[in-house]
Amino acid sequence: MTLEIVRVPVLSDNYSWLVREAQTGAVMVVDPGEAAPVLAAAQARGWTIGAVWLTHWHPDHVGGAAGVKAATGARIIGPEAERAKIVALEDGVGEGDTVELGAQSARVMAVPGHTAGHIAFHFDGAGAIFTGDTLFSMGCGRLFEGDVGQMFANMQRFATLDDATSVYCGHEYTQSNGRFALSVDPDNAALVARMRDVDALRAAGEATVPTTIGAERATNPFLRAADADELARLRAAKDAF
């Protein structure tokens, strides 16, 4: 495997992602909401974190960045557009930039909406994307700083990725998102089947992410929305669900 990716639960329902590039052994962490669990996960594997990659400024995603840096000397990389809100940010990046992890590189995608400067990191060669709080398993992020048009454009971009692309998002929201999805798309056989699996996983205390672009294409009402107006209706309904 080109990238070894470890899910690290932090806070109440967040996931940080510890990533090691196999060829060089380079390690980074995406969105460390807390430092201690991330550092412990790395130490347990004998890994040394060399970088912190941030998708957006919210405290549950950046709260552990300074602590990871203090313990490891890791370089903190994140959205230049949110530099004023991320005190620990060192290297700012934006749309079209490339960030290296050993022998692998990720393309930065600007995906505003949840926050104004939100970004995603897409490892095309490794078939992985880190979407923060923009694309969730069967959902999308709330629109705190952006608009529906931006979020629809994001969903359209994600939908162009290969079906096999693994999606690493920031929260364990799948079960609640799936219940909403069933309320608006009850005759979707793929969704019904997926929710059976999700409910079984959660009953066993297991995680439901990563997901894949293919699974989202089949079951995520926000990714399947035909236009921005439909997404707006869905987002309003989900906010009140």
XYZ file of all heavy atoms in Angstrom, residues 35 44 55 57 72-73 154 158 171 195 200 213:
92
model
N -4.028 16.773 20.392
C -2.663 16.294 20.159
C -2.407 14.918 20.760
O -1.799 14.053 20.124
C -1.662 17.302 20.720
N 2.875 4.527 19.067
C 2.601 3.093 19.115
C 3.111 2.376 17.868
O 3.402 1.168 17.919
C 1.099 2.855 19.272
N -7.509 21.179 7.045
C -8.492 21.470 5.992
C -9.244 22.773 6.224
O -9.664 23.410 5.263
C -9.525 20.336 5.870
O -10.274 20.227 7.101
C -8.874 19.009 5.541
N -10.328 25.968 9.627
C -9.898 26.594 10.869
C -10.639 26.153 12.123
O -10.240 26.480 13.235
C -10.008 28.116 10.766
C -11.417 28.664 10.705
C -12.137 28.961 9.578
C -12.264 29.011 11.808
N -13.380 29.454 9.905
C -13.487 29.490 11.281
C -12.134 28.953 13.195
C -14.553 29.913 12.065
C -13.198 29.362 13.998
C -14.386 29.846 13.430
N 6.911 17.320 18.153
C 7.603 16.665 17.025
C 8.378 17.612 16.123
O 9.202 17.163 15.316
C 6.587 15.923 16.142
O 5.699 16.892 15.521
C 5.765 14.929 16.944
N 8.082 18.913 16.188
C 8.666 19.865 15.250
C 7.994 19.852 13.894
O 8.510 20.432 12.925
N -18.762 22.125 -5.160
C -17.891 21.145 -4.507
C -18.360 19.723 -4.786
O -17.558 18.831 -5.114
C -17.876 21.361 -2.985
C -17.304 22.693 -2.567
O -16.536 23.314 -3.292
N -17.683 23.147 -1.388
N -16.320 16.632 -6.586
C -16.082 15.326 -5.977
C -16.654 14.208 -6.847
O -16.071 13.129 -6.945
C -16.702 15.266 -4.579
C -16.036 16.137 -3.559
C -16.787 16.880 -2.660
C -14.658 16.222 -3.468
C -16.195 17.676 -1.697
C -14.033 17.022 -2.509
C -14.812 17.750 -1.627
N -15.716 13.454 10.541
C -16.628 13.101 11.629
C -17.305 11.754 11.379
O -17.476 11.338 10.230
C -17.725 14.159 11.782
C -17.254 15.465 12.336
N -17.227 15.753 13.669
C -16.792 16.573 11.694
C -16.771 16.998 13.853
N -16.500 17.505 12.657
N -27.459 1.257 4.651
C -27.844 1.578 6.027
C -27.932 0.340 6.902
O -27.679 0.411 8.109
C -29.152 2.366 6.035
C -28.951 3.849 5.817
S -27.823 4.612 7.034
C -28.801 4.506 8.533
N -25.351 -1.988 11.554
C -24.652 -3.126 12.151
C -23.274 -2.708 12.670
O -22.861 -3.107 13.771
C -24.519 -4.254 11.138
N -16.000 7.343 -3.180
C -16.785 8.191 -4.087
C -17.921 7.390 -4.719
O -19.048 7.878 -4.860
C -15.882 8.808 -5.173
C -14.928 9.852 -4.553
C -16.717 9.445 -6.295
C -15.619 11.081 -3.985
